[in-house]
Amino acid sequence: MWLTLKDRHSMEKQMRFKSKTNKGAIVLLISFLSVWLILMLVATDFLPNLRLPKGEWLTVTHTKYNFSIQHPDNWSIHKYDDRGYKNAREIKLILNYNARGFNGLFVKIIEDSNPTLEKAANWGDVWLKEISSTGKYREISFTEDNINGQPALRRVSAIGERVFVDTYIARENDFVVITLQTSQTHYNQFSTDYDKVVHSFTTLKSN
């Protein structure tokens, strides 16, 4: 069967149309799969893990309250004086990182004439009850720790979906509370960095 020139042009036109249609369908499918993959990664909290700080660690010193602490270089730092942060006078340093589920890392200094770890833990107990709408919290763990040769206590607790990790350190004229606030979903994501920050805490030597 012989095809006329007109028939050939018609067939070529149809083939080009089918080729464009197939390419368009492939592009559309790839776009759909890409969007689906991104949504799945976000839903499973995989992307926030990729955004965890991977850079250098820096040291920030607060001479007024006689301590230094290390942090990832892409965390923001806010230091405070006697007035503290807003209504929380005990907060002297806040480390923050712009990531989902991270609500801040706080260094609190509470002056005391006879500071002990027991007093620090009792202070933390009262504070947790005060910030809870029900006046209660759920204690997940309460363990002993050691920060640069100095005895410490660590409490992990939950209020609703929020997780609070508090490390208590007693010094000569005050006690220190280092708090991580995050969500139950993201706790494991930030616990390693919190542990490293806490164990970098150093009391400055007096001149």
Side-chain angles (χ1 to χ4, degrees):
M1 180 178 178
W2 296 96
L3 296 176
T4 64
L5 184 60
K6 183 177 180 180
D7 291 334
R8 289 180 181 177
H9 287 165
S10 178
M11 289 182 65
E12 290 175 357
K13 187 175 181 181
Q14 289 178 10
M15 291 176 66
R16 285 196 298 269
F17 177 77
K18 288 182 179 179
S19 177
K20 289 181 179 179
T21 302
N22 290 338
K23 288 180 180 178
I26 292 172
V27 170
L28 185 62
L29 178 61
I30 292 174
S31 300
F32 172 79
L33 290 175
S34 299
V35 172
W36 177 83
L37 180 60
I38 291 172
L39 290 175
M40 288 298 294
L41 291 174
V42 171
T44 56
D45 294 323
F46 182 73
L47 284 182
N49 286 328
L50 293 179
R51 294 196 297 268
L52 279 174
K54 301 296 182 182
E56 298 294 326
W57 281 65
L58 305 177
T59 299
V60 57
T61 300
H62 204 321
T63 53
K64 183 174 179 61
Y65 295 100
N66 201 35
F67 72 87
S68 68
I69 202 166
Q70 294 180 357
H71 62 91
D73 61 0
N74 54 353
W75 286 23
S76 61
I77 309 162
H78 305 278
K79 291 196 288 187
Y80 301 94
D81 55 17
D82 294 339
R83 292 171 294 179
Y85 173 69
K86 294 185 177 180
N87 294 324
R89 296 185 61 184
E90 70 276 3
I91 294 178
K92 306 305 180 185
L93 181 74
I94 296 178
L95 298 174
N96 217 334
Y97 178 60
N98 186 24
R100 185 180 176 189
F102 189 91
N103 302 123
L105 192 152
F106 306 83
V107 179
K108 309 165 190 174
I109 305 290
I110 297 89
E111 294 182 0
D112 193 286
S113 58
N114 184 29
T116 64
L117 286 178
E118 184 180 2
K119 282 186 177 181
N122 289 338
W123 182 93
D125 176 68
V126 172
W127 177 77
L128 285 165
K129 290 177 179 177
E130 285 179 349
I131 65 172
S132 170
S133 59
T134 62
K136 297 179 181 179
Y137 65 90
R138 179 169 57 89
E139 188 170 275
I140 299 172
S141 65
F142 194 81
T143 57
E144 294 182 351
D145 203 343
N146 190 290
I147 310 299
N148 292 322
Q150 197 167 6
L153 295 174
R154 180 173 299 189
R155 172 190 278 135
V156 181
S157 52
I159 300 175
E161 291 300 314
R162 294 182 297 167
V163 172
F164 299 83
V165 188
D166 295 298
T167 298
Y168 308 107
I169 306 168
R171 302 196 299 178
E172 185 176 356
N173 298 308
D174 57 33
F175 54 84
V176 181
V177 183
I178 306 175
T179 301
L180 169 68
Q181 294 186 25
T182 183
S183 66
Q184 292 190 37
T185 304
H186 298 85
Y187 167 67
N188 290 331
Q189 179 180 333
F190 301 114
S191 60
T192 300
D193 283 326
Y194 170 77
D195 190 63
K196 188 172 180 179
V197 170
V198 167
H199 282 87
S200 74
F201 181 89
T202 304
T203 296
L204 303 179
K205 294 181 179 180
S206 302
N207 294 328

